[in-house]
Amino acid sequence: MSEPVRILTGRWREPDTVWIDRYLETGGYEGLRRALAMSPQEVIEVVKASGLRGRGGAGFPTGVKWSFVPQDTGKPTYLVVNFDESEPGTFNNRELVERDPHQFLEGAIIAAYAVQSHTAFIYCRGEFLWPGRILERVVAEAYDRGFLGRDILGSGYDLEVVIHRGAGAYICGEETALLSSLEGYRGQPRLRPPFPAVEGLYASPTLINNVETLSNVPHILVNGPEWFRGFGPEKSPGTKLFSVSGKVERPGNYEAPMGTPARVVIEEMAGGVLGGKRLKAWTPGGSSTPFLTAEHLDVGLDFESIQAAGSLLGTGAIMVCDETDCMVEVTRRLLQFYAHESCGKCTPCREGTWWVVRVLGRIEAGAGRPEDLPLLDDQCTNMLFRGFCALVDGAVSPMSSSLAYFRDEYEAHVREHRCPVTGRGPGLVAEQGAREEAPAATTVPSWADLAEELG
Amino acid sequence: MSVEPEPVTLTIDGKEVTVPTGTLVIRAAEQLGIEIPRFCDHPFLDPVGACRQCYVEIEGQRKLFTACTTEVAAGMVVHTQNTSELAHEGQVANLEFLLINHPLDCPICDRGGECPLQDQTMAFGPGESRYIEPKRVYRKPIPLSPLVLLDRERCVLCARCTRFCDQISGDRFIEMFARGAGQQVAIAAGEDFRSPFSGNTIQICPVGALTASTYRFVARPFDVHVADGICGHCSAGCNVRVDVRRGEVVRVLARDNAEVNDAWICDKGRFAFRAADGPGRVTTPLIRERGLEPASFDEVLGRVAEWSRGARVAFLTGGRLADEDAFALSKLARVAFGTNDLDHRRAFHGGLAEELEAASALRVTYRDVERAGAILVVGLDAEQEVPILHLRIRKAARRGARVFVVHSRETRLSDVAEHLLCRPGQEGAVLERLIEGGAAGSDEERVARALRTAEGAVVLAGSLLAEHPLATDVALRLSRRLGAGFALVPRRAGDRGALRAGVHPALLPGGRRLAVASERAEVEAVWGELRSSEPGRNGREILEACARREIDVLFLVGVDPLRDVPDAALARRALENVPVKVVQSLELGELEPYADAFLPAAALHEREGHLTTWEGRSQRTRPVRAPAGLSRPDWEIFAGLAEAVGAPLGFGSVEELREEMEALLAPREVSERPTAWVGAGVPQWLDEVTLFTYPLLVDEGRLSEGASELKAALEEPAFVEVHPEDAERLHLADGGWARVRTGAGEATLPVRVSSRVAQGSVFVPFNQPGLEANRLLSGRFTAAATLEAVPGGGEGARGGEGIAGPEAKT
Ligand SMILES: Cc1cc2nc3c(=O)[nH]c(=O)nc-3n(C[C@H](O)[C@H](O)[C@H](O)COP(=O)(O)O)c2cc1C
Ligand code: SF4
Ligand code: SF4
Ligand code: SF4
Ligand code: FES
């Protein structure tokens, strides 16, 4: 086992580094000093040269994105930090903020400087009460020490930071929905184009980056792009923080260079499958990325390799299922998440997720029909890339991949009217289904009814 | 200002089409006659891409694209459902999704038979559903207002309704609530959908989720007669479709006309359609014997002719006459009776501005407003007076126009416009200051600069401005100074047509001045020599002459002076003293005790004719049913009367009538000359407060009779609106009561304290339940007033709702 790399997690072993004194003692804000000594354009070039790619899911080259933000538009330019982290299985942003918040804040200030933004918003997931408090404190610290506010470090550059709390919707992590929410509207995605870089927040140029993406930036400024490219493969340089959860011995965030085989992360870092059981399925990048199986454990965890294996690196959230997990149940539960989080704007997502949850639930409960499997296949086709945003594509991932890899399990449910894995029959499942879905499965409580009841 | 976008050529289903850059694929397809199914797309709303019904395949692209959000590109090759199996399958699948939670209660749905969801399912959809799970159900329906009902389970969540409120009317009463399959249209608890444009959401809803309380379970598309009409409720000239079932009007819909009303109408135009079918309608000619007794048309016309022969005759008209009627009347008065005592106006513009409007048409159009760089609105509450113009001003604002309003009361343009509030009567002074450029550092300076520098500025002057002698000419002068377009915006549907026809004591058809020989001669060339070249009496002078018994026969054509004239006492004296009163109308109403003869007129939707918009655009309206009973179009009655007095008008058909109109109403150039505003710079009112009034959209007006749902939704009881500082000085509290006294009378009204009104002014609506404001007026729509708090609510009149019991005394 090779020496673990610690870049993003370098300060994690020391609890004190949460606050600014220790952060400064450990080289903090050096990246910002270097950035401010350069022109914004030079900073962008450095980040471009590093090959850093966005960690929020799509993997878009960060420096290129920065260079898309137009200058001299006569409008303000905004930086928005996407800290809505809600993808199931993903928790690296949260720990990055809880353990080393100044690291990403420094990255954010550098990013803002690079695009010449003077106002930055941090969109913090609503449920993140504790990380939100930490954010408030570290932002105050940064103001106190002159890393935020007017004339930062005597450079003449000004930046104000506003922390905004979300209200608990997964869709608000999608960048355009996030902007709507930030503006005080319903969190629903907007048409692109215009792209946020050109017409984002308040119809002004806006750069949106993920917390993990920004956490890399100070290190790139301090150590240079070549150093950064020293980790990981050519097209996916750097390290990645993998959130490992599910049936493993030691769930948690593990930093490893991009391209590290999944087996290393799951078996060595996270201690292998819980109780020594057999691994059945895993997601490489959260619930929105297609399942892979034990066969894929030697695939490198980087954008290209995972894609070649038929999935996506997504957020790098590895969720592990073992041989005792029923894949129909797992899929139903995940789809229930998407049905719940669908913003409702577009038909294939809103109605499609509603429908397949019910079909999956029926199969799970032993009431599946042979024609349900082709029906689900069809719905995968009818939902994938048909929605307004990528949420529905994410919803299709677990369904299409489990139907592909574990079709026999579905078929057994239909044939035997019970779960071939857990042995549960209709009674048990029905009871559980009732608990989870309640009779509300058919009656949606409405705001208007509620309002009426309240008078 | 607008640079024409470059044309782009693309191919759709193998056919080439060239359209401007920026065109959406769905629009380009329409140009080729290719229909792509859609629900959320609406040509007058911003693209949203929500329903996903309009999938097309674009060569070189892996995914399907939504045609309603995709802009054309040069060389793009598009395949719709007609030529792409993939697009077709995508559409079928999407319809299947849309229907899984749809109740399929078409047999009891108002939309059945004219439902885009039905139609598109038939045309493009799956034959059967594979959905076997329980459907989502909701309690139904939810009333959003007394007019609009929502059946949520039918809703396809296309957001047309909510986008209309957001983008078009600016009344954001309804919104999407909740999310996922639970997403639904909703309204805040305790709120009503109190928008005067709410009905448009019903019309653009692509399913039967929004229905009208007036039409629920009333008719099916196949059992109504329909005709294309023009709305007669205001000068906006909205194009409408009128549906009649078994002889009764059951529904009015907007027709699309991008030059006029886009796709919208207001709720009055949509829901106030029962006036002609009400119990008050009289459809038989009547003559006073012992009482008013039925008689034949010939008999009544003969008697009226007898009374009129050699008598002093005068004509007052209301605002509902069609262009043909107004023209026939203008000729009747002058040719058959030799009088110039005729008028259609309630307020008197006078001056050059009025002449210009009478002479030439379409000097400012809706399109000019829409494309204006800046708009100055003076003395006009467009939302209440000409609602569709209000929407057009909002549209202009959305396109970047700067909008300014000079008024005594803030209008519902307040979110897109800057208001310069002034006391009634001081509008002219504000305009004068704008002409001079405004004092350094003042609001007026800023506004003047914005207007001067804008490209394509427009000045819109409303009828409140017409109150003040020649103030409209000041507005005209300002527009000339700015190089801006100018329009007088009358309120009533027949106003512009009547002015152009010369239902006016000093102006002949086409705005020709009676007193100017050369202009008179142009009319005489068609009508023969006119007996009098002296301008006649205006409306007020006619009533005064009646009161002094200087007139023998008064014709009241679609007008009830007791309610319409801003001086109830004078109207009563006039009716009591003029020997003969001939009423020509749809009903008698309060004139019953006075009328000596009644001539039943046909309603607008019972006859052929034209109405002229505030812009001067003459639009044809067609009958949807025959005139009720013995009633006739007004112009036919005038022709009959001319016949009876032995001076035929010379036209036996609408065609002949229109020929003559075209000859005299062709646009003319008017040489501009300076006119002076008499009150320039001088405050006109020195009293404690100035009361002013104008009618609100939904009021007790005759044309809204029977529109109970509309009134329940939008009609406000009478009130008096007072500025907070005046309220404090006068010890008036919001929600309390005040006694309002003017020289003409007094009334006790509930008080609204609001900084919407200019300081020093109080507003009372003209004709709301509880007060006919003309009892407080002496000839103008403004009056000096005193206000006094009435403790305990006006003789205990304050009802449980705090609305009952305002009373007026004279
Ligand atoms: C449904 C949905 C949810 C998303 N949630 C998040 C999120 O919670 N955090 C995040 O950083 N990006 C999220 N994204 C991706 C963002 O849209 C965006 O690509 C990202 O914030 C860009 O930052 P990056 O370039 O630094 O990766 C989400 C995307 C989708 C479609
Ligand atoms: S796919 Fe459609 S319904 Fe689903 S979250 Fe995106 S916009 Fe909303
Ligand atoms: S009520 Fe009608 S218009 Fe409104 S969202 Fe539903 S279907 Fe669309
Ligand atoms: S705006 Fe005027 S013309 Fe149009 S519908 Fe309303 S009342 Fe009728
Ligand atoms: S019509 Fe195109 S998405 Fe609705």
Side-chain angles (χ1 to χ4, degrees):
Chain A
M1 187 170 153
S2 51
E3 188 58 22
V5 199
R6 290 184 171 276
I7 297 169
L8 300 172
T9 58
R11 296 186 186 86
W12 280 18
R13 277 164 298 186
E14 242 191 287
D16 271 0
T17 51
V18 175
W19 311 121
I20 197 159
D21 288 327
R22 190 68 193 132
Y23 184 68
L24 288 169
E25 285 162 25
T26 52
Y29 287 107
E30 184 52 30
L32 177 61
R33 278 177 218 284
R34 302 224 180 157
L36 291 176
M38 300 185 212
S39 73
Q41 193 50 47
E42 286 164 346
V43 176
I44 293 178
E45 290 310 321
V46 168
V47 174
K48 257 191 195 169
S50 76
L52 173 64
R53 294 172 64 174
R55 304 296 195 235
F60 195 85
T62 305
V64 176
K65 195 181 206 176
W66 293 10
S67 69
F68 286 163
V69 178
Q71 295 297 322
D72 305 318
T73 57
K75 295 179 182 173
T77 298
Y78 297 109
L79 167 71
V80 175
V81 181
N82 191 342
F83 183 35
D84 193 52
E85 190 174 59
S86 317
E87 172 78 8
T90 311
F91 44 88
N92 59 39
N93 282 189
R94 176 168 53 115
E95 204 164 0
L96 281 168
V97 169
E98 284 175 350
R99 290 185 186 252
D100 194 357
H102 280 288
Q103 173 178 261
F104 105 82
L105 186 60
E106 183 181 354
I109 302 169
I110 296 169
Y113 172 72
V115 299
Q116 287 294 289
S117 160
H118 299 291
T119 311
F121 292 87
I122 302 172
Y123 191 98
C124 173
R125 175 176 168 173
E127 293 89 338
F128 282 174
L129 211 59
W130 176 240
R133 295 231 176 102
I134 293 177
L135 272 181
E136 277 161 23
R137 179 155 159 197
V138 299
V139 165
E141 285 182 336
Y143 269 104
D144 273 357
R145 304 295 178 93
F147 298 113
L148 284 175
R150 303 223 142 248
D151 191 16
I152 294 171
L153 301 179
S155 64
Y157 171 67
D158 308 333
L159 179 66
E160 303 294 330
V161 166
V162 179
I163 300 165
H164 180 97
R165 302 285 190 108
Y170 170 56
I171 190 58
C172 289
E174 194 282 333
E175 57 186 23
T176 61
L178 185 153
L179 295 177
S180 297
S181 164
L182 201 49
E183 288 176 8
Y185 294 101
R186 261 172 89 67
Q188 288 195 325
R190 305 176 181 175
L191 272 181
R192 281 181 306 194
F195 287 95
V198 181
E199 258 185 56
L201 192 63
Y202 305 115
S204 304
T206 303
L207 171 67
I208 303 166
N209 272 132
N210 169 272
V211 165
E212 187 185 352
T213 311
L214 294 172
S215 298
N216 280 291
V217 169
H219 303 285
I220 293 171
L221 266 290
V222 171
N223 301 308
E226 283 317 311
W227 164 85
F228 188 77
R229 286 190 164 282
F231 304 96
E234 161 91 40
K235 288 187 173 162
S236 297
T239 62
K240 173 89 191 77
L241 210 45
F242 296 100
S243 306
V244 187
S245 66
K247 300 286 179 61
V248 289
E249 287 289 343
R250 288 191 303 275
N253 283 311
Y254 297 98
E255 184 173 10
M258 285 277 197
T260 304
R263 189 183 299 284
V264 173
V265 176
I266 294 173
E267 293 182 357
E268 295 179 16
M269 299 177 125
V273 177
L274 189 65
K277 295 229 167 56
R278 211 162 42 81
L279 180 145
K280 187 174 194 177
W282 58 285
T283 65
S287 63
S288 301
T289 59
F291 286 117
L292 294 175
T293 65
E295 278 170 41
H296 304 100
L297 280 174
D298 295 314
V299 173
L301 292 169
D302 61 77
F303 291 107
E304 282 68 34
S305 310
I306 293 289
Q307 206 165 337
S311 188
L312 295 160
L313 187 65
T315 60
I318 298 173
M319 295 192 286
V320 176
C321 303
D322 71 15
E323 55 191 315
T324 66
D325 290 321
C326 163
M327 290 313 288
V328 176
E329 182 190 353
V330 168
T331 307
R332 192 262 304 156
R333 282 169 175 260
L334 288 178
L335 264 297
Q336 218 164 332
F337 168 81
Y338 290 99
H340 185 255
E341 295 297 337
S342 162
C343 82
K345 178 170 186 155
C346 72
T347 309
C349 175
R350 180 185 68 233
E351 306 295 336
T353 54
W354 161 285
W355 188 353
V356 298
V357 162
R358 275 153 188 77
V359 176
L360 288 166
R362 233 176 352 88
I363 296 173
E364 189 189 347
R369 307 165 305 163
E371 61 264 43
D372 285 335
L373 299 195
L375 177 64
L376 289 176
D377 292 335
D378 250 21
Q379 303 316 12
C380 291
T381 311
N382 296 343
M383 291 160 73
L384 186 65
F385 303 138
R386 299 281 171 84
F388 185 91
C389 82
L391 185 142
V392 69
D393 306 336
V396 170
S397 290
M399 189 165 52
S400 58
S401 55
S402 68
L403 277 164
Y405 292 124
F406 306 103
R407 200 168 189 90
D408 51 340
E409 232 173 279
Y410 283 86
E411 284 165 353
H413 274 85
V414 170
R415 203 174 43 243
E416 298 165 24
H417 299 293
R418 55 193 276 286
C419 175
V421 183
T422 63
R424 280 183 301 179
L428 221 156
V429 181
E431 188 189 307
Q432 175 175 348
R435 241 187 297 119
E436 280 173 11
E437 282 190 28
T442 53
T443 308
V444 181
S446 90
W447 199 274
D449 291 338
L450 191 67
E452 212 160 89
E453 276 157 34
L454 298 175
Chain B
M1 173 166 163
S2 53
V3 192
E4 283 305 313
E6 289 284 304
V8 179
T9 301
L10 69 158
T11 310
I12 304 177
D13 290 347
K15 291 179 211 151
E16 273 201 359
V17 61
T18 303
V19 292
T21 306
T23 304
L24 298 166
V25 169
I26 200 167
R27 299 279 97 77
E30 280 167 2
Q31 291 199 7
L32 287 170
I34 298 169
E35 194 197 334
I36 300 169
R38 82 285 305 265
F39 294 105
C40 65
D41 170 74
H42 190 283
F44 290 100
L45 300 175
D46 293 347
V48 63
C51 76
R52 319 304 285 176
Q53 190 54 47
C54 62
Y55 293 127
V56 293
E57 192 178 344
I58 295 176
E59 276 184 19
Q61 301 286 345
R62 216 158 42 93
K63 306 183 210 172
L64 290 174
F65 276 66
T66 46
C68 72
T69 59
T70 307
E71 290 187 2
V72 295
M76 188 185 248
V77 180
V78 179
H79 295 282
T80 73
Q81 70 279 356
N82 299 329
T83 56
S84 158
E85 196 48 35
L86 189 62
H88 172 68
E89 279 168 10
Q91 293 176 4
V92 171
N94 204 62
L95 268 167
E96 186 182 33
F97 279 141
L98 278 174
L99 290 171
I100 62 171
N101 276 315
H102 192 82
L104 297 172
D105 58 348
C106 310
I108 56 151
C109 176
D110 288 345
R111 257 297 158 104
E114 53 177 19
C115 172
L117 182 59
Q118 269 187 339
D119 294 348
Q120 300 189 57
T121 303
M122 298 303 286
F124 310 104
E128 266 174 64
S129 175
R130 293 175 290 174
Y131 186 75
I132 59 162
E133 328 300 330
K135 290 192 183 230
R136 176 179 63 208
V137 295
Y138 287 114
R139 196 170 53 73
K140 61 185 282 173
I142 299 183
L144 296 178
S145 77
L147 287 167
V148 186
L149 301 167
L150 168 65
D151 285 284
R152 287 166 294 172
E153 78 282 38
R154 288 182 190 149
C155 171
V156 292
L157 297 164
C158 67
R160 279 187 180 181
C161 55
T162 49
R163 286 182 294 143
F164 172 84
C165 294
D166 182 23
Q167 296 164 19
I168 308 296
S169 69
D171 299 325
R172 300 189 59 195
F173 286 96
I174 52 171
E175 239 311 359
M176 290 294 179
F177 278 52
R179 66 186 186 206
Q183 187 183 230
Q184 56 194 280
V185 177
I187 189 159
E191 279 286 343
D192 258 2
F193 189 2
R194 284 182 67 94
S195 163
F197 303 99
S198 69
N200 292 300
T201 61
I202 300 171
Q203 188 169 346
I204 60 175
C205 176
V207 294
L210 295 174
T211 51
S213 59
T214 53
Y215 189 69
R216 217 168 146 86
F217 308 127
V218 167
R220 283 276 180 234
F222 46 80
D223 66 5
V224 294
H225 288 292
V226 306
D228 289 350
I230 300 297
C231 174
H233 284 296
C234 87
S235 70
C238 293
N239 293 204
V240 294
R241 189 188 100 175
V242 183
D243 289 12
V244 161
R245 180 173 184 272
R246 298 196 189 154
E248 224 179 293
V249 180
V250 291
R251 180 168 72 166
V252 175
L253 294 171
R255 278 187 291 131
D256 289 4
N257 185 343
E259 299 299 321
V260 181
N261 52 310
D262 280 351
W264 324 121
I265 57 175
C266 77
D267 282 2
K268 187 179 189 178
R270 188 181 299 272
F271 296 115
F273 54 72
R274 298 197 186 112
D277 294 330
R281 178 86 189 265
V282 182
T283 59
T284 336
L286 304 172
I287 193 87
R288 188 164 298 277
E289 302 289 350
R290 254 164 306 169
L292 274 174
E293 283 165 23
S296 75
F297 243 109
D298 285 349
E299 223 177 312
V300 177
L301 288 174
R303 290 285 289 282
V304 172
E306 227 169 83
W307 294 332
S308 311
R309 204 160 289 133
R312 295 166 298 181
V313 175
F315 296 85
L316 288 180
T317 74
R320 70 159 173 80
L321 292 190
D323 296 351
E324 288 79 359
D325 308 333
F327 188 84
L329 174 59
S330 178
K331 186 170 182 184
L332 173 79
R334 284 161 173 130
V335 173
F337 293 101
T339 181
N340 291 311
D341 289 346
L342 75 167
D343 207 350
H344 71 282
R345 298 166 303 169
R346 291 205 250 184
F348 310 107
H349 302 269
L352 184 61
E354 193 181 59
E355 250 171 67
L356 280 173
E357 295 296 338
S360 52
L362 294 176
R363 287 157 353 100
V364 173
T365 62
Y366 280 109
R367 222 168 254 289
D368 296 331
V369 171
E370 181 173 323
R371 294 193 178 153
I375 302 171
L376 177 67
V377 183
V378 196
L380 174 72
D381 182 343
E383 186 208 33
Q384 296 294 318
E385 300 185 61
V386 191
I388 289 304
L389 177 58
H390 171 78
L391 294 191
R392 224 26 163 272
I393 297 170
R394 298 191 70 86
K395 188 173 182 183
R398 249 170 80 79
R399 296 173 63 136
R402 307 215 27 207
V403 184
F404 305 97
V405 182
V406 176
H407 202 311
S408 305
R409 186 169 186 248
E410 199 176 279
T411 71
R412 278 280 293 119
L413 287 172
S414 54
D415 56 333
V416 297
E418 190 177 323
H419 282 69
L420 297 177
L421 291 187
C422 65
R423 272 177 81 153
Q426 297 204 337
E427 295 89 345
V430 174
L431 296 175
E432 290 277 9
R433 290 199 290 275
L434 289 175
I435 291 174
E436 282 147 23
S442 65
D443 284 346
E444 281 147 3
E445 185 197 28
R446 203 164 35 74
V447 173
R449 191 176 332 110
L451 288 168
R452 219 174 26 244
T453 53
E455 276 184 69
V458 164
V459 176
L460 301 171
S463 33
L464 210 57
L465 199 60
E467 266 289 280
H468 313 293
L470 299 182
T472 47
D473 279 7
V474 185
L476 175 64
R477 191 143 46 83
L478 172 62
S479 73
R480 293 293 183 260
R481 185 68 58 89
L482 299 168
F486 174 83
L488 277 184
V489 182
R491 185 179 326 105
R492 301 174 304 175
D495 278 340
R496 177 51 36 88
L499 177 63
R500 291 193 31 75
V503 182
H504 189 289
L507 295 178
L508 294 167
R512 294 175 179 86
R513 283 168 291 172
L514 185 66
V516 177
S518 59
E519 297 181 13
R520 191 173 64 245
E522 288 173 22
V523 177
E524 288 178 328
V526 182
W527 283 0
E529 199 181 325
L530 299 179
R531 276 184 257 168
S532 167
S533 59
E534 278 293 298
R537 298 178 172 101
N538 69 26
R540 178 163 180 83
E541 290 160 354
I542 288 171
L543 290 173
E544 284 166 349
C546 288
R548 289 195 305 267
R549 297 183 178 256
E550 286 168 13
I551 283 174
D552 305 312
V553 183
L554 176 63
F555 283 89
L556 298 168
V557 184
V559 66
D560 173 358
L562 294 172
R563 292 168 73 173
D564 298 344
V565 169
D567 190 338
L570 172 64
R572 194 165 299 278
R573 268 187 286 124
L575 291 177
E576 280 163 1
N577 286 296
V578 66
V580 178
K581 284 123 324 212
V582 180
V583 176
Q584 176 170 327
S585 188
L586 273 69
E587 77 278 284
L588 273 160
E590 287 178 76
L591 293 176
E592 154 118 56
Y594 299 101
D596 297 293
F598 176 80
L599 296 161
L604 187 61
H605 57 273
E606 297 170 345
R607 39 105 22 117
E608 177 75 43
H610 287 69
L611 283 172
T612 301
T613 65
W614 63 270
E615 326 154 80
R617 181 194 308 270
S618 178
Q619 300 187 101
R620 181 167 182 194
T621 178
R622 290 179 169 78
V624 67
R625 69 176 188 207
L630 298 178
S631 66
R632 294 179 184 176
D634 290 276
W635 75 266
E636 277 187 45
I637 303 178
F638 296 139
L641 182 59
E643 208 68 48
V645 298
L649 295 182
F651 26 75
S653 67
V654 186
E655 289 68 34
E656 287 171 27
L657 168 55
R658 287 210 61 83
E659 234 167 74
E660 197 170 307
M661 289 172 73
E662 268 146 38
L664 284 175
L665 297 183
R668 306 168 42 240
E669 278 311 312
V670 169
S671 59
E672 301 203 8
R673 55 183 190 282
T675 56
W677 180 50
V678 290
V682 189
Q684 292 216 313
W685 311 98
L686 303 166
D687 324 275
E688 218 181 6
V689 289
T690 307
L691 174 144
F692 70 106
T693 176
Y694 56 87
L696 301 183
L697 183 66
V698 179
D699 68 2
E700 293 294 275
R702 273 184 309 272
L703 290 175
S704 304
E705 251 154 49
S708 50
E709 301 90 343
L710 174 72
K711 290 184 178 185
L714 292 170
E715 193 175 43
E716 298 175 88
F719 57 88
V720 57
E721 203 168 58
V722 186
H723 188 273
E725 295 194 17
D726 294 325
E728 198 181 317
R729 193 164 44 81
L730 300 167
H731 311 293
L732 297 173
D734 191 53
W737 290 73
R739 185 168 297 121
V740 182
R741 273 205 193 86
T742 66
E746 63 172 63
T748 302
L749 294 168
V751 175
R752 281 192 197 168
V753 175
S754 162
S755 46
R756 280 186 65 189
V757 280
Q759 211 182 328
S761 353
V762 299
F763 173 74
V764 296
F766 187 68
N767 193 12
Q768 299 308 115
L771 175 72
E772 286 170 12
N774 66 345
R775 297 174 182 212
L776 301 175
L777 304 175
S778 319
R780 294 175 164 231
F781 290 88
T782 49
T786 56
L787 266 69
E788 164 191 17
V790 180
E795 291 97 57
R798 185 187 200 164
E801 308 293 313
I803 54 168
E807 31 177 273
K809 301 188 195 110
T810 32

